[in-house]
Amino acid sequence: MTRTAAYDRIADWYERDFLGGPAAGANAGNPRGLGHLLGELLGVGAGAACLEIGCGTGVHAARLRELGWAPVGIDLSAGMLGHARGRLPVAQADAARLPIRDGSVAAVVAVMVHTDMPDYPTVLHEAARVLRPGGVFVHIGVHPCFCGGFADRSDADAVVVRPGYLDADRTTASWTDQGLRDKVGAWHLPLPGLLHGFFDAGLTLERFAEHGGPTPIVMAVKARRGGQAAG
């Protein structure tokens, strides 16, 4: 049975205000400002399928198509998928149990979603499972060292990191009431726990990137499933 999704109750607000409101473009944490990372890390496709885990309202589909990929999305939230269906093919599913056969997709991306998932290491295992040998996985997420319930970003020039970074848990604590954490909560993984998840899933790390300043808001990772791509 599909679990109830926290985002169902805020899906319209997310689409209308968080993504499309007048202040969204100035918010460096807004997913709409991350398309360059997809270009740098995922690269150009040739019409092959790219699975987006936690696609939400489908705001990254256009960028994936620009890069030459055929995006397909999954998300747990029916409310979010209601907005996504006009942007890409979608299915409602749990990221920890992807309804996709082994080794069947050329690329997988997860953009600003890992803190919404209580067991992201399991999601990484699933991403590795569905990738073809040699397939690419791109993770783009809030920076584990500088974003979380422990980080006060009310002054962008002087981020204060308080005790709590080492706590791998869910929290609704936030320095702002204009974001997501205070509404749906967030799961935190310290940096070693996040990176170990890639290794434990059998993914080979290739490149890293950070985004936002002067203190980064986002950390991105490019990884690859081992083995030779099919000719």
Side-chain angles (χ1 to χ4, degrees):
M1 183 174 67
T2 303
R3 294 188 291 109
T4 301
Y7 275 77
D8 281 346
R9 64 183 178 83
I10 66 163
D12 292 341
W13 168 85
Y14 184 92
E15 171 73 7
R16 180 188 64 244
D17 299 325
F18 184 68
L19 293 181
N27 181 359
N30 190 309
R32 294 190 308 171
L34 302 175
H36 70 286
L37 290 174
L38 286 171
E40 292 168 14
L41 299 179
L42 179 62
V44 177
C50 176
L51 172 68
E52 183 177 359
I53 293 175
C55 67
T57 61
V59 294
H60 304 296
R63 178 58 176 152
L64 291 171
R65 288 193 185 94
E66 287 175 0
L67 291 169
W69 297 92
V72 178
I74 66 101
D75 202 284
L76 190 64
S77 169
M80 298 289 270
L81 291 177
H83 293 284
R85 285 192 174 90
R87 295 169 175 152
L88 76 169
V90 297
Q92 186 178 9
D94 190 330
R97 296 190 300 272
L98 294 174
I100 299 170
R101 69 179 184 273
D102 296 359
S104 60
V105 295
V108 178
V109 298
V111 184
M112 303 302 285
V113 295
H114 82 280
T115 54
D116 295 317
M117 300 172 179
D119 189 6
Y120 194 59
T122 295
V123 175
L124 292 174
H125 275 273
E126 281 291 275
R129 177 184 66 79
V130 303
L131 277 173
R132 297 174 185 170
V136 175
F137 173 69
V138 172
H139 160 99
I140 301 173
V142 296
H143 203 299
C145 300
F146 306 119
C147 293
F150 56 87
D152 184 342
R153 302 189 66 99
S154 54
D155 181 351
D157 293 326
V159 176
V160 178
V161 177
R162 306 186 189 279
Y165 164 76
L166 294 176
D167 300 334
D169 205 349
R170 180 181 177 275
T171 182
T172 57
S174 177
W175 61 271
T176 177
D177 62 0
Q178 302 301 307
L180 295 171
R181 186 175 293 106
D182 67 307
K183 298 173 179 61
V184 297
W187 296 90
H188 172 64
L189 271 177
L191 183 60
L194 177 60
L195 294 181
H196 288 160
F198 288 84
F199 288 119
D200 293 344
L203 293 165
T204 300
L205 301 179
E206 289 193 354
R207 293 185 64 83
F208 301 90
E210 292 176 311
H211 171 72
T215 304
I217 293 172
V218 169
M219 188 184 82
V221 178
K222 176 182 179 179
R224 194 177 297 273
R225 180 183 169 184
Q228 295 295 318

